[in-house]
Amino acid sequence: MATRRNPRFKECRRLGVNVCGNPKALKRQNAPAFKKTHKMSEYGKQLIEKQKVKAYYGIMERQLRRYFAEASKAEGKTGEVLIETLECRLDNLVYRMGFANSIRMARQVVTHRHITLDGTIVSAPSQLVKAGQVIALKEKSQKNEQFRKCYFNQNLRPLPYLERDKDNFCGKLLMKPQRKEIPVEINDQMVVEFYSK
């Protein structure tokens, strides 16, 4: 299974947004050494937006192309459907609910079988979660100090499509997320234009 292992802070500076969620990621962005002097082409802007999608959700090019192909066949705006679908990935929701402090950690938490979906242990980070399904930390893993620290310190601003139960270390996807509610800085149309060439 391929994983993204590139330097996170360097990627954040290149893309101009904090895709990894670390407060120190853009600390040196305005330093003279990192200032951009060249003018970017239209293709370059589209490429950056596409790279943002991959960075936000921790996916590879082949996976993104597959998601885009499925989104282009679905009803609604392709760009919005793409982001809404990616938001429902299990590893992403584990991160959003606060079981992990980054998308990379969330992916690892899932593959190491610490997460249950509707009471069943799952190990596929790319699994799509449906509205009404409950994501929980395995009972044995609830005693892990790192997971407890993440769960109580992360996600202090809950999203409208998620519900958290702090007493039982679980959360529920209430409904399919709407694009305007998803906290990612991406120009969806540019991603569509990139793949439509």
Side-chain angles (χ1 to χ4, degrees):
M1 187 192 309
T3 55
R4 294 170 60 86
R5 298 183 185 277
N6 49 325
R8 295 181 303 159
F9 287 12
K10 190 174 182 181
E11 184 174 47
C12 289
R13 287 196 299 269
R14 183 170 53 81
L15 299 176
V17 290
N18 190 350
V19 292
C20 67
N22 191 305
K24 296 179 181 178
L26 296 176
K27 195 173 180 182
R28 295 192 296 160
Q29 186 186 18
N30 296 321
F34 300 114
K35 283 197 174 176
K36 296 176 183 175
T37 54
H38 63 279
K39 187 177 179 182
M40 193 173 288
S41 66
E42 194 63 28
Y43 173 80
K45 291 175 184 175
Q46 293 169 1
L47 179 63
I48 287 288
E49 295 303 317
K50 189 261 292 187
Q51 299 288 47
K52 282 183 190 178
V53 178
K54 288 168 60 178
Y56 268 120
Y57 293 102
I59 58 176
M60 306 299 280
E61 182 65 30
R62 184 181 287 186
Q63 289 174 298
L64 182 54
R65 283 183 180 275
R66 192 181 75 240
Y67 281 118
F68 181 81
E70 291 171 4
S72 60
K73 294 173 188 173
E75 290 182 20
K77 293 184 178 178
T78 303
E80 291 183 3
V81 173
L82 173 66
I83 302 300
E84 289 165 4
T85 303
L86 288 170
E87 190 68 16
C88 290
R89 278 174 57 103
L90 180 60
D91 57 352
N92 181 68
L93 291 177
V94 166
Y95 168 56
R96 295 277 190 234
M97 286 179 185
F99 291 117
N101 58 23
S102 69
I103 193 74
R104 287 185 182 184
M105 181 181 172
R107 187 181 181 89
Q108 190 176 46
V109 167
V110 176
T111 54
H112 288 198
R113 302 169 66 86
H114 292 290
I115 297 294
T116 65
L117 186 63
D118 286 341
T120 306
I121 295 174
V122 285
S123 60
S126 61
Q127 184 168 339
L128 293 178
V129 179
K130 296 173 184 173
Q133 289 191 301
V134 176
I135 300 168
L137 197 59
K138 200 168 64 174
E139 191 174 343
K140 188 178 177 182
S141 305
Q142 291 176 13
K143 298 169 187 173
N144 185 304
E145 192 57 39
Q146 188 175 9
F147 293 152
R148 294 177 69 89
K149 187 178 177 183
C150 284
Y151 193 65
F152 290 116
N153 295 338
Q154 293 287 116
N155 201 353
L156 300 176
R157 291 177 295 170
L159 297 163
Y161 48 89
L162 296 177
E163 179 182 77
R164 293 184 359 144
D165 182 353
K166 289 189 175 181
D167 296 329
N168 297 312
F169 286 92
C170 66
K172 182 192 285 187
L173 180 64
L174 298 173
M175 57 192 168
K176 189 176 179 182
Q178 300 296 308
R179 177 61 185 98
K180 58 186 178 184
E181 300 169 338
I182 301 172
V184 293
E185 298 175 47
I186 297 169
N187 185 329
D188 315 342
Q189 185 56 36
M190 282 196 170
V191 178
V192 175
E193 288 171 7
F194 180 88
Y195 281 120
S196 298
K197 288 181 178 178

